[in-house]
Amino acid sequence: MASIRISDLSKIYPGPRPVRALDQVDLDVAEGEFIALLGPSGCGKSTLLNILAGFEPLTEGSVLFDGERIGKAGPDRGVVFQEAALFPWLTVFENVTFGPRVQGVSKNVYDAAAREILALVGLADFAGSYPSQLSGGMRQRVGIARVLVMKPRALLMDEPFGALDAQTRLTMQELLLEVWQRLKVTVVFVTHDIDEAILLADRVCVMSARPARIARQIPIALERPRSIENLLSPEFSAYKADIMHEMRTAHGQGLVAAE
Amino acid sequence: MAQTPKMTSRPASASPLFSIGSVASIFSASSVKKLFVASILPIAIVLIWQFSGNNGSLFGGVLPTPDRVASAWYTWAFGSRGMGLNPYSGTWFDSLVFSTTRVLQGFAVAVIVGIPTGILIGWTRMAAHGIDPTIQLLRPIPITAWLPFSIAVFGISSLGAIFLIALGVFYPVVINTTQGARHVERNLVRAAQMMGASRFDILWRVVVPASLPAIFTGLRIGLGIGWTAVIVAEMIAVKSGLGYVLWDAYYVGRMDVVIADMATIGLMGLISDQLILMVERYALAWRYVNANR
């Protein structure tokens, strides 16, 4: 498990009109904590995740991962992409074991681990299927399984359930809660869905678009283990009202600042 | 088995006439019907051709009727070689082997050079800037324009034909491979990096398989060009093979052999295309699985 310390982080895309995608962002994530980055599209939440993953370099500031500067992408930070990004030419089992195989882990070691994790995400019977034979939700289960099999210190999830239908999304949220409850891995979860953020996270970080930074952090004290039943509780509604208000304010400020 | 796989991105023409593992489907009702419908037009053409002929020929003796072509073809294929005085008796198979061998040799050279070159150009900026412009500069020169060059360098020999074929096949192979390697989905590469893949792993386990569909497109186009190139080369730069016979038979007024030769070339082109499709079906099995949804 890992802690993440982001200080004074800025990301500027150069060009004739440079774009400040992130503006002096500060964020601390504790070991085993579940953080949701919530905000409208264009607020830089995916950029922040890409920097954490090591896909994009930062421009200013620093990001410490367990006290060390983050380097290029690697298996210590497992990324779950919105469209799963599975290799279509590999079977489910081959997709899940891709990480261990390129890392040179021996088959006796990864074989059992992969089967166990496939069972955990409910895909034991689909090990030999190709991604094109799976539904969107099942593909995302594979996307999660292939990351878990590497035992990452942190999970970085970029709107992983954003492309799924409402029913499947709820199922996947419950699955993720279950998995996280068991593994207690540090999670940074990007979403634009307020319900999803409150249901899953220990802390919701509301991001504003201009300037692109974290406007407010709201700890979610809902008791764990949680389930979709929590969506109906009065405490949940209170959090939701608070966050909606916050997002409206953050957005409003953005508009004023832009003029 | 009778149901065709659902593959949205696959062009309709890519389905082989006969595919491995679907022997049963050849005999299924829908396939028989398809085959029947497809046969109507060619049979009609041959019949019209046959019955518009007069005394075995059309256009005042220029064009032989199909029955004359068939009998010339039979002699060419199965006739006795005798003293070797009749070049169109019993020599068909030799000519076929000459041409096919050249196509295969040229094709092999083009594939061995073209696929790695295309992957490099598509994947590394250095190769894209360093090699691609030269290929684009040379590509507009038609392979027919290379004929004198090829004869000057290789003389009247098989090597000249192989050179032309390799050149003709190389362009579509390299260009399609480049396209495939250049348009690998970014998140697939990122996913591989995230799972700890080295640069070589990414090339070998992500870029190459992701490029395979485009590579096969290049191979199919290339093989078609290979058959064109071998005929052109044999007409001028070599003294054997189907292309040589084509021109030679024309000179001595054997239009029946010319047409039999043309039919042979067409048949070989069709068979080689079907062979590539079979290999593609095997190599890209993941694209041909029945989708669940």
Side-chain angles (χ1 to χ4, degrees), chain A residues 213-235:
Chain A
R213 61 170 64 144
I214 293 166
R216 201 178 137 203
Q217 306 192 16
I218 298 153
I220 307 295
L222 296 175
E223 210 173 302
R224 297 208 186 250
R226 298 178 195 164
S227 74
I228 50 174
E229 303 297 319
N230 284 82
L231 291 168
L232 306 169
S233 69
E235 299 99 303

Side-chain angles (χ1 to χ4, degrees), chain A residues 50 55-56 73-75 77-79 81 85-89 98-99 101-103 130 132-135 139 146 150, chain B residues 184-198 201 205-207 209-210 285-286 289-293:
Chain A
N50 283 340
F55 296 146
E56 290 182 36
R77 283 154 290 151
V79 182
F81 299 87
L86 305 177
F87 302 117
W89 54 86
F98 185 93
R101 284 186 290 131
V102 296
Q103 290 163 44
Y130 286 102
S132 65
Q133 296 172 293
L134 306 179
S135 68
R139 267 179 239 171
R146 75 167 172 192
M150 301 188 301
Chain B
V184 178
E185 215 183 302
R186 187 176 64 175
N187 275 352
L188 292 187
V189 176
R190 286 182 165 180
Q193 285 172 337
M194 172 273 288
M195 289 186 275
S198 64
D201 280 325
R205 294 174 190 259
V206 180
V207 178
W286 57 274
V289 290
N290 280 294
N292 245 356
R293 49 196 292 277

